[in-house]
Amino acid sequence: MTVSTEEIDPTAVPGVVEPAIGEELLSVNGLVKHFPIRKGLLQRQVGAVQAVDGLTFNVTRGETLSLVGESGCGKTTTGRLLTRLLEPTSGEIVFEGRNISHLSEGKMRPLRRDVQMIFQDPYGSLNPRHTVGKIVGAPYRLQKVQTEHGVKRAVQELLELVGLSPEHYNRYPHEFSGGQRQRIGIARTLALRPKLIVADEPVSALDVSIQAQVVNLLEDLQKEFDLTYVMIAHDLSVVRHVSDRVAVMYLGKIVELADRVSLYEKPMHPYTVALLSAVPVPDTKRKGNVQRIRLEGDVPSPINPPPACRFHTRCWKAQDICKTTEPPLLQLAPGHQAACHFPENQPGDKPVTPAASEAS
Amino acid sequence: MSSDDSVQRIERGAAFLDVRDLKVHFPTDDGLVKSVDGISFQLERGKTLGIVGESGSGKSVTSLSIMGLHKRGVAQISGQVFLDGQELVSSTPDEVRLLRGKRMAMIFQDPLSAMHPFYTVGQQIIEAYRVHNKVSKQVARKHAIEMLDRVGIPQPDKRVDAYPHQFSGGMRQRAMIAMALSCDPDLLIADEPTTALDVTVQAQILDLIRDLQREFNSAVIIITHDLGVVAELADDIQVMYAGRAIEYGTAEEIFESPQHPYTWGLLGSMPRIDRERTERLIPIKGTPPSLINVPKGCAFNPRCNYAHLNGGASETDRPELLDVGAGHKVACHLSPGERAKAWETDIKPKL
Amino acid sequence: MIVSAITFSIFYLVPRLAGATPETLATRYVGRAATEETVKLTAERLGFYDPIAVQYWNWAKGVVVGAEYDYGSGVESCPAPCLGYSFITKQPVWPELLDRIPVTLSLAAGASLLWLLAGVATGVLSALKRGSIFDRGAMIIALAGVSLPIFFTGLLSLAIFSYQLGWTLPGGSYTPFTENPVVWSQSLILPWITLAFLFSAQYARLTRAGMLETMNEDFIRTARAKGLPERTVVVRHGLRGALTPILTIFGLDVGLLLGGAVLTEKTFSLPGLGKYAVDGIVANDLPKILGVTLVAAVFIILANLVVDLLYAVIDPRVRNQ
């Protein structure tokens, strides 16, 4: 790559020192998103889908934070809030010290080059009538960025960077396989050298062999360009591979937030424990001889979530207090937060996760 | 075994389900699509076969053609499929239809789109039961409620009158299973039964399939791209690539001592939650081939790291699926020594 | 309500803009021979000098409670629903409408039944045998049906079947069903077929498209996997799924038709609502036009209501919302 940061970011003021790795890039405080449900002739609001209900976390520069959870947990909504494709109902999103929660579309535009999104469906997110060159070059045109050797050259370099051939410039999305399309999407995302990339299930639509290629690509790009990722995923194996820290969500709330190692080895929230134990493992020796935690039933509706601890309806440890008092998200070990009245794997306890004990 | 016996076995198939050299080709404007190009396997009652492969490997077409659900008139199908001694490929569509739902049943990936949105769950199960059983609606309804109860749907007498959209994803898949099992089939084909489901619900459904198989003693084929799912359920595993089986063996053999470089690739591509985290995944290079333009020789050769060891045979000769001992079959030109060396030194330490 | 107000304004304002005065309007009632004095008197009695809102109010009140009209030659009472008197025939509109509704109703009912059956059946067969000679032939005929105007097909069929072959009665005659069902159907069969030809072509195309889509759905594969006979798969599972959009359009079409199948009625000289409306328009006979418009609007609203209700019966997903 010959496109230097100066060309990409003409607004960069000389003398302003970029924060070093380890500093907070994004912080989210009490983030809420309710989608009103309207009914009848007058469109009276009769309720709300409590998609995201009070999230607090921050993202450090250069790290990968993953949001995991089952359908309806609000992870995709969160991703859309972070990129401000949606406006939060309440709470604040602070990006590089600037509150972006309610910025107008116009004021958001310069920030769009810093915050980019990768989507799950690599086909649906690419305009079928545009060539790859036009798709990947679009951010330059939209943000009116000048490139040294012209847009075409810059696009071809991006294509090479994500493992495509520069000759693909004039082809159309339908000529590519799923994995290649996802690479095109990633190239477009990278065009403006964003600081934060929110990736919504970037590999779940891909075949296993291709999944690994894209995961590796994302890791390489992160190292090369100091990218910060917020990864939204449901595949716990992939999440473990790519993340530095993981936030487990259930019905619009974070129930556990910890660094990768402690989350996978000493999960504290019963939901996390159940989630980890439900992952099918490609190991026939495990078959039948591992005691699994099986959750009953399905995730309740986010329209009318259970009161207090939202997991109590499916939790095997639930007591009366879980139905009346909501457990706060507390730091129970260094870098390990959980929201539970009766957490597992408290410091000093014997680890109970089946996955970790099996591996050791 | 007398000679009479062997004649009998050739004509009627050796196992409960005996698939021999099954081919399903689709002529298209761009050329002949060889979706399935010579598949053979056997499956006994009470056993589970896992068919693993990526999109376009022919795993779904295989199952649909066993069921006689491939596009009629378009597909060119050859080979033999014996179900309990009856050959299906040469049977008339109506003969196969009478077996469908009764002796062989199928569940699909997305239970929402697989159920008719305008009929209640009960109506759909009753319909499935009454095609093959001459009973009154009341009797069939009682049976439907029993089936719903059996697959773990709470309040089955009330839920029987609910519509599919009123069910959650997991409940819908349970209802699909109830429908598939309503006539007590001997063969159950599950095509990506848990791919559309959440992980905790997936675990419930896999448990359910396992329990019901024990109860009904049926043969089960589970088709999936998820090696974790087959490890949970399958006794035997067939790995497919570009319309052909490239490795076949017991689940233990496939996971403990896989022989084909593609199988190694699949195992290396998957991040494992049960092992130490590796720094890097080992992907398979390139992309799966188009079925119109399958590479000559071994279809996997452009993506194979070991193809150069075969002195050009990879590009010219298609390797046959050969037994390498104890029923473990592999279609690869590498010599057993080279395979063992590559597995022990290159692959196994990195998993 | 709104429809009647808009119609009222249009048909009141347009003549005025074209230069008509209350006097010229009143002339229509009393005849050209009348003196200026009489004309003015009549215009005043009929309220033609009032502002448009007042005139509308009086008309609307007449619909609900009835009205009395003073022609100078004595007061005539017009019981509710009073839609006024025709300018030309001086007959009250409502009873005339009542006479004509059965004609239009017969025409619409027969034709819609015919086109629904023919169109859907053709569409289903076309979809199942996609690309076959039947499919191509049916679609060509359907294209012809959509593009040929009714006065062409209508007159052509009249010429052949009625005048040349004498199989059916020529236009212009209508015998109520209650009097003689055989003659009733004989007099209507040609209009039915002509109208149905036009519509069924459209329905065949719609059904074909809908069926092609539905037969690719996953639930069709499930139905086959159950071992259902192909007939059941197509009818119970395929057609039921494809029918919903057709039903919507069917409801609207029938509603429209009940307001008068203008061209068909004119071509076959059937004394229905459409012909009544055309006669009214030609003669600039406002009460007639208003009457037909109101009745047509009521039919369309009713048809929409029925469609919405049927929708809920067909698609349980609509019911719960």
Side-chain angles (χ1 to χ4, degrees):
Chain A
M1 281 308 288
T2 57
V3 185
S4 67
T5 1
E6 283 80 359
E7 296 151 20
I8 293 307
D9 188 5
T11 56
V13 187
V16 174
V17 184
E18 296 266 313
I21 287 179
E23 283 175 53
E24 194 173 282
L25 180 69
L26 177 83
S27 85
V28 171
N29 202 352
L31 190 65
V32 174
K33 180 68 188 177
H34 289 183
F35 296 100
I37 306 167
R38 297 180 192 282
K39 240 184 184 167
L41 207 57
L42 300 172
Q43 292 294 294
R44 203 161 43 86
Q45 186 176 339
V46 291
V49 180
Q50 304 178 16
V52 170
D53 203 26
L55 300 188
T56 302
F57 62 90
N58 50 42
V59 184
T60 324
R61 192 175 289 270
E63 76 165 345
T64 301
L65 173 74
S66 288
L67 303 175
V68 296
E70 296 180 283
S71 48
C73 74
K75 55 188 194 296
T76 295
T77 307
T78 310
R80 279 161 197 270
L81 289 168
L82 297 184
T83 48
R84 277 303 317 283
L85 295 174
L86 288 172
E87 189 172 352
T89 308
S90 67
E92 57 181 24
I93 306 165
V94 179
F95 179 75
E96 290 197 309
R98 189 163 169 210
N99 188 339
I100 63 165
S101 329
H102 302 287
L103 280 190
S104 67
E105 193 58 37
K107 285 192 176 153
M108 210 31 225
R109 189 161 300 138
L111 272 166
R112 293 250 182 257
R113 73 172 58 166
D114 289 338
V115 184
Q116 287 281 332
M117 192 153 183
I118 300 175
F119 297 93
Q120 169 177 7
D121 175 6
Y123 200 45
S125 57
L126 303 177
N127 188 332
R129 282 181 203 85
H130 288 177
T131 61
V132 168
K134 201 167 177 193
I135 291 169
V136 177
Y140 292 121
R141 274 193 302 282
L142 293 174
Q143 295 276 2
K144 299 189 177 63
V145 172
Q146 297 301 313
T147 44
E148 200 181 343
H149 304 288
V151 170
K152 183 169 181 184
R153 179 79 177 273
V155 168
Q156 289 182 333
E157 276 161 354
L158 280 170
L159 290 178
E160 251 181 329
L161 189 69
V162 298
L164 294 168
S165 154
E167 286 98 71
H168 291 150
Y169 188 85
N170 282 318
R171 300 237 208 122
Y172 288 89
H174 69 86
E175 298 173 57
F176 294 89
S177 65
Q180 289 173 315
R181 283 184 208 133
Q182 194 56 290
R183 286 171 192 270
I184 296 169
I186 293 171
R188 172 178 58 184
T189 313
L190 285 175
L192 298 172
R193 292 287 177 280
K195 292 170 182 159
L196 175 69
I197 292 183
V198 176
D200 189 356
E201 304 270 11
V203 297
S204 54
L206 305 176
D207 273 323
V208 189
S209 68
I210 308 302
Q211 229 177 47
Q213 295 175 358
V214 174
V215 164
N216 283 350
L217 173 68
L218 287 171
E219 288 187 336
D220 293 343
L221 294 171
Q222 179 168 39
K223 273 189 211 120
E224 193 166 345
F225 300 110
D226 284 341
L227 294 172
T228 308
Y229 288 136
V230 171
M231 205 75 89
I232 294 160
H234 70 276
D235 185 328
L236 289 151
S237 313
V238 173
V239 164
R240 185 176 95 144
H241 187 84
V242 298
S243 325
D244 298 308
R245 288 192 303 144
V246 180
V248 181
M249 293 182 67
Y250 187 78
L251 281 174
K253 289 188 183 290
I254 291 180
V255 295
E256 186 159 7
L257 174 60
D259 62 275
R260 181 216 323 141
V261 176
S262 43
L263 188 104
Y264 279 83
E265 284 174 10
K266 290 178 188 167
M268 290 184 179
H269 198 284
Y271 177 61
T272 315
V273 176
L275 213 51
L276 288 174
S277 108
V279 177
V281 169
D283 186 348
T284 46
K285 277 182 286 191
R286 267 177 58 128
K287 192 156 115 185
N289 58 21
V290 176
Q291 203 49 48
R292 295 228 141 157
I293 297 153
R294 285 283 186 258
L295 290 185
E296 297 280 311
D298 293 284
V299 183
S301 156
I303 296 170
N304 205 356
C309 175
R310 291 186 173 180
F311 186 58
H312 81 250
T313 52
R314 298 173 79 198
C315 184
W316 66 99
K317 297 181 91 178
Q319 314 253 333
D320 284 342
I321 185 172
C322 304
K323 294 167 195 161
T324 53
T325 316
E326 186 178 334
L329 188 65
L330 292 178
Q331 176 128 342
L332 299 177
H336 198 144
Q337 295 170 288
C340 181
H341 292 299
F342 307 100
E344 303 265 351
N345 287 318
Q346 292 268 45
D349 282 6
K350 208 171 148 277
V352 297
T353 157
S357 58
E358 192 65 23
S360 54
Chain B
M1 193 195 301
S2 72
S3 62
D4 264 12
D5 237 14
S6 65
V7 169
Q8 188 78 351
R9 299 189 77 180
I10 289 163
E11 280 175 351
R12 294 178 46 84
F16 171 66
L17 176 70
D18 191 351
V19 177
R20 295 178 184 178
D21 198 28
L22 181 68
K23 290 182 181 168
V24 188
H25 294 177
F26 297 95
T28 68
D29 294 342
D30 299 325
L32 191 64
V33 175
K34 298 178 176 178
S35 290
V36 178
D37 201 24
I39 291 279
S40 304
F41 61 83
Q42 298 180 344
L43 183 62
E44 293 293 352
R45 276 200 186 84
K47 292 285 181 194
T48 303
L49 171 72
I51 300 183
V52 181
E54 297 180 276
S55 46
S57 62
K59 55 190 195 304
S60 287
V61 180
T62 306
S63 61
L64 289 175
S65 55
I66 293 172
M67 292 283 290
L69 288 173
H70 52 278
K71 282 186 194 135
R72 242 158 288 155
V74 190
Q76 300 167 351
I77 180 163
S78 69
Q80 291 167 308
V81 176
F82 292 98
L83 182 76
D84 202 13
Q86 185 176 353
E87 210 286 306
L88 301 182
V89 175
S90 58
S91 297
T92 65
D94 225 40
E95 284 168 344
V96 181
R97 172 178 78 74
L98 289 173
L99 295 176
R100 260 202 312 268
K102 187 173 171 62
R103 304 224 45 197
M104 49 184 183
M106 192 159 178
I107 50 180
F108 301 97
Q109 176 173 349
D110 181 359
L112 181 58
S113 64
M115 294 187 106
H116 202 295
F118 297 170
Y119 297 106
T120 65
V121 169
Q123 283 169 335
Q124 300 189 46
I125 300 176
I126 290 168
E127 188 184 35
Y129 189 57
R130 289 188 73 208
V131 201
H132 302 292
N133 296 281
K134 296 247 167 299
V135 294
S136 69
K137 273 194 178 155
Q138 283 72 30
V139 175
R141 188 185 149 89
K142 240 184 101 195
H143 182 72
I145 295 171
E146 261 170 44
M147 288 309 300
L148 288 175
D149 190 35
R150 207 125 147 211
V151 296
I153 288 179
Q155 294 179 299
D157 50 328
K158 291 206 181 77
R159 304 294 273 168
V160 71
D161 293 321
Y163 287 92
H165 71 273
Q166 295 166 322
F167 276 42
S168 67
M171 286 299 158
R172 273 196 288 266
Q173 195 58 293
R174 282 174 194 270
M176 270 302 287
I177 295 173
M179 187 171 11
L181 295 182
S182 62
C183 295
D184 197 357
D186 303 304
L187 170 67
L188 177 68
I189 301 179
D191 189 352
E192 304 270 8
T194 58
T195 308
L197 303 175
D198 280 323
V199 61
T200 54
V201 180
Q202 163 172 292
Q204 296 168 2
I205 297 293
L206 293 180
D207 281 352
L208 177 68
I209 293 177
R210 192 179 313 134
D211 292 348
L212 289 172
Q213 176 182 26
R214 255 176 231 147
E215 194 180 331
F216 287 80
N217 193 35
S218 44
V220 173
I221 298 179
I222 183 149
I223 294 158
T224 177
H225 67 278
D226 189 333
L227 288 168
V229 170
V230 276
E232 295 266 322
L233 288 185
D235 300 303
D236 288 344
I237 293 174
Q238 168 164 287
V239 185
M240 288 186 70
Y241 188 80
R244 290 180 63 84
I246 53 102
E247 185 162 3
Y248 183 96
T250 62
E252 285 75 17
E253 283 164 344
I254 296 292
F255 286 109
E256 297 308 318
S257 58
Q259 298 282 320
H260 197 284
Y262 176 64
T263 316
W264 299 340
L266 283 183
L267 290 169
S269 304
M270 280 190 14
R272 297 275 293 258
I273 204 169
D274 59 329
R275 303 264 170 91
E276 280 300 311
R277 180 179 173 271
T278 50
E279 254 327 294
R280 255 183 113 65
L281 299 175
I282 318 157
I284 307 172
K285 62 185 178 190
T287 48
S290 132
L291 288 175
I292 294 173
N293 217 344
V294 177
K296 277 212 169 57
C298 173
F300 187 59
N301 84 71
R303 304 178 72 191
C304 182
N305 289 330
Y306 303 94
H308 61 278
L309 294 177
N310 296 317
S314 297
E315 288 80 27
T316 51
D317 298 336
R318 191 168 69 185
E320 291 304 317
L321 190 68
L322 297 175
D323 204 318
V324 292
H328 190 166
K329 295 176 191 162
V330 64
C332 181
H333 287 305
L334 289 174
S335 69
E338 284 165 335
R339 271 204 300 271
K341 193 173 146 236
W343 166 247
E344 291 296 337
T345 57
D346 289 359
I347 310 297
K348 200 177 175 189
K350 289 186 195 154
L351 291 181
Chain C
M1 259 287 281
I2 296 163
V3 172
S4 72
I6 292 171
T7 321
F8 194 86
S9 335
I10 290 174
F11 285 96
Y12 257 61
L13 285 175
V14 168
R16 308 259 150 130
L17 292 175
T21 57
E23 286 82 12
T24 51
L25 285 175
T27 319
R28 292 172 188 274
Y29 275 94
V30 290
R32 287 182 199 283
T35 59
E36 215 167 292
E37 195 74 359
T38 338
V39 171
K40 275 195 175 155
L41 212 67
T42 315
E44 203 178 313
R45 276 198 217 103
L46 291 175
F48 286 169
Y49 292 115
D50 294 337
I52 181 165
V54 175
Q55 291 194 29
Y56 175 68
W57 172 249
N58 286 334
W59 179 83
K61 206 167 79 179
V63 176
V64 183
V65 296
E68 296 196 333
Y69 280 82
D70 182 359
Y71 287 100
S73 53
V75 175
E76 288 195 44
S77 82
C78 167
C82 174
L83 294 171
Y85 283 78
S86 158
F87 289 165
I88 313 295
T89 58
K90 296 191 184 118
Q91 295 298 311
V93 172
W94 178 243
E96 285 199 335
L97 283 178
L98 279 185
D99 278 351
R100 278 143 200 275
I101 286 174
V103 181
T104 300
L105 211 61
S106 308
L107 178 67
S112 60
L113 200 71
L114 213 59
W115 88 56
L116 194 65
L117 290 177
V120 169
T122 317
V124 169
L125 287 175
S126 270
L128 293 183
K129 300 191 184 300
R130 183 157 85 145
S132 68
I133 295 168
F134 174 84
D135 178 26
R136 285 176 203 178
M139 285 305 117
I140 289 170
I141 295 172
L143 189 67
V146 172
S147 27
L148 289 178
I150 208 127
F151 45 80
F152 178 78
T153 47
L155 289 177
L156 196 70
S157 58
L158 261 182
I160 297 172
F161 297 107
S162 218
Y163 298 117
Q164 292 286 321
L165 300 171
W167 290 353
T168 59
L169 298 176
S173 57
Y174 171 77
T175 316
F177 180 76
T178 42
E179 246 170 59
N180 188 339
V182 178
V183 183
W184 172 78
S185 60
Q186 262 186 332
S187 62
L188 280 169
I189 187 89
L190 269 190
W192 280 346
I193 291 176
T194 314
L195 202 55
F197 182 56
L198 173 77
F199 278 93
S200 59
Q202 187 195 346
Y203 279 70
R205 288 157 65 99
L206 263 173
T207 312
R208 181 175 179 270
M211 277 303 277
L212 284 178
E213 201 188 310
T214 315
M215 291 308 281
N216 272 324
E217 295 273 4
D218 283 357
F219 57 74
I220 295 296
R221 193 180 51 185
T222 310
R224 292 210 175 104
K226 289 189 211 174
L228 296 176
E230 194 59 22
R231 259 179 82 107
T232 318
V233 174
V234 170
V235 177
R236 258 179 71 92
H237 293 255
L239 192 56
R240 174 99 191 250
L243 223 46
T244 330
I246 293 166
L247 184 86
T248 321
I249 296 173
F250 183 70
L252 294 178
D253 281 345
V254 170
L256 273 174
L257 213 55
L258 287 175
V262 177
L263 284 175
T264 315
E265 286 174 16
K266 196 73 188 157
T267 308
F268 292 95
S269 307
L270 285 172
L273 286 175
K275 191 161 175 290
Y276 189 73
V278 173
D279 294 346
I281 291 167
V282 169
N284 204 352
D285 197 345
L286 181 71
K288 273 191 180 182
I289 302 169
L290 271 176
V292 177
T293 313
L294 195 69
V295 170
V298 167
F299 276 133
I300 289 172
I301 290 165
L302 271 180
N304 266 315
L305 198 73
V306 171
V307 166
D308 281 351
L309 291 175
L310 271 180
Y311 231 100
V313 172
I314 284 198
D315 191 341
R317 287 170 298 183
V318 178
R319 231 173 288 163
N320 290 69
Q321 281 160 12

